[in-house]
Amino acid sequence: MTRGEGVSLGMVAARRLAELGCCKIAPGLTDAEFADIEGEYGFEFADDHRAFLAAGLPLNSPFEPEPGVSHAWEKPWPEWRDGDPEELREQLNFPVEGVLRAVESSGHWRPAWGARPDTPEAAVAVARRLLADVPRMVPIYAHRFLPAGRGTTGHPVLSMWGTDIIYYGADLVDYVNQEFEEPRPEHPDDWSPQATVSFWRDYL
């Protein structure tokens, strides 16, 4: 998929989000804002993700906890324009921190990492060092992510919760429909996303 096709994909996803009317949408991010964000947090948006946010910036609604829901996200849309930098870093680090929690609490350990250290603390320290080089994942909404990378596009959207990682959309347009259309559309018979991002696809 070319850069032009990626831009088109992001714009179609943005239009579909607006059609579904699930959130307020502010004017999109400018080139200067993208440059500031990417410089501050050390990644580059994929082309379709960038086009999606350039077409319009989704806004969070006032948070109203639902009875019986223990894992609600107060700010599921990353607040790229005016958000708290520490909150944005937490969202960006969510995939890695989820794996580290699994290392510490449930004994998760990848064979490629070699022998597991004897204590959970030492295991987390080694895993943190090894995870520093894995591909960056960029939040779209809550714990749904796209890989970073200028010049790339068309990645499947992944739902990431620790080592529990699943496909949540074959691409950004499919993801918007899956997340926000009601009732949620059924997958077609030939629905077969193929993860493009190394390391993380091993958990699918």
Side-chain angles (χ1 to χ4, degrees), residues 141-152:
Y141 178 85
H143 54 102
R144 320 298 193 206
F145 287 80
L146 276 175
R150 182 74 63 86
T152 67

Side-chain angles (χ1 to χ4, degrees), residues 85-145:
E86 287 308 308
E87 290 181 357
L88 285 168
R89 286 190 176 88
E90 286 181 7
Q91 286 179 290
L92 284 161
N93 292 335
F94 186 83
V96 165
E97 292 299 323
V99 174
L100 292 175
R101 284 192 296 273
V103 169
E104 181 177 28
S105 64
S106 62
H108 173 70
W109 194 256
R110 292 170 62 95
W113 292 346
R116 180 185 170 95
D118 293 335
T119 67
E121 295 79 9
V124 168
V126 171
R128 187 179 296 279
R129 186 171 68 251
L130 294 168
L131 288 167
D133 296 326
V134 303
R136 293 292 298 275
M137 301 298 292
V138 183
I140 302 172
Y141 178 85
H143 54 102
R144 320 298 193 206
F145 287 80

Side-chain angles (χ1 to χ4, degrees), residues 15-155:
R15 284 199 299 270
R16 182 59 181 145
L17 185 71
E19 289 170 358
L20 290 169
C22 55
C23 64
K24 293 182 179 180
I25 300 175
L29 296 175
T30 66
D31 287 344
E33 287 176 315
F34 278 114
D36 288 344
I37 293 164
E38 293 174 336
E40 175 68 21
Y41 299 104
F43 74 91
E44 292 184 321
F45 289 97
D47 292 349
D48 48 353
H49 197 176
R50 182 185 179 97
F52 175 76
L53 296 171
L57 183 65
L59 300 178
N60 290 306
S61 301
F63 182 62
E64 296 181 5
E66 295 182 38
V69 177
S70 59
H71 295 294
W73 288 65
E74 184 172 350
K75 299 177 182 178
W77 291 110
E79 297 185 332
W80 297 115
R81 176 168 287 137
D82 300 312
D84 181 297
E86 287 308 308
E87 290 181 357
L88 285 168
R89 286 190 176 88
E90 286 181 7
Q91 286 179 290
L92 284 161
N93 292 335
F94 186 83
V96 165
E97 292 299 323
V99 174
L100 292 175
R101 284 192 296 273
V103 169
E104 181 177 28
S105 64
S106 62
H108 173 70
W109 194 256
R110 292 170 62 95
W113 292 346
R116 180 185 170 95
D118 293 335
T119 67
E121 295 79 9
V124 168
V126 171
R128 187 179 296 279
R129 186 171 68 251
L130 294 168
L131 288 167
D133 296 326
V134 303
R136 293 292 298 275
M137 301 298 292
V138 183
I140 302 172
Y141 178 85
H143 54 102
R144 320 298 193 206
F145 287 80
L146 276 175
R150 182 74 63 86
T152 67
T153 194
H155 303 288

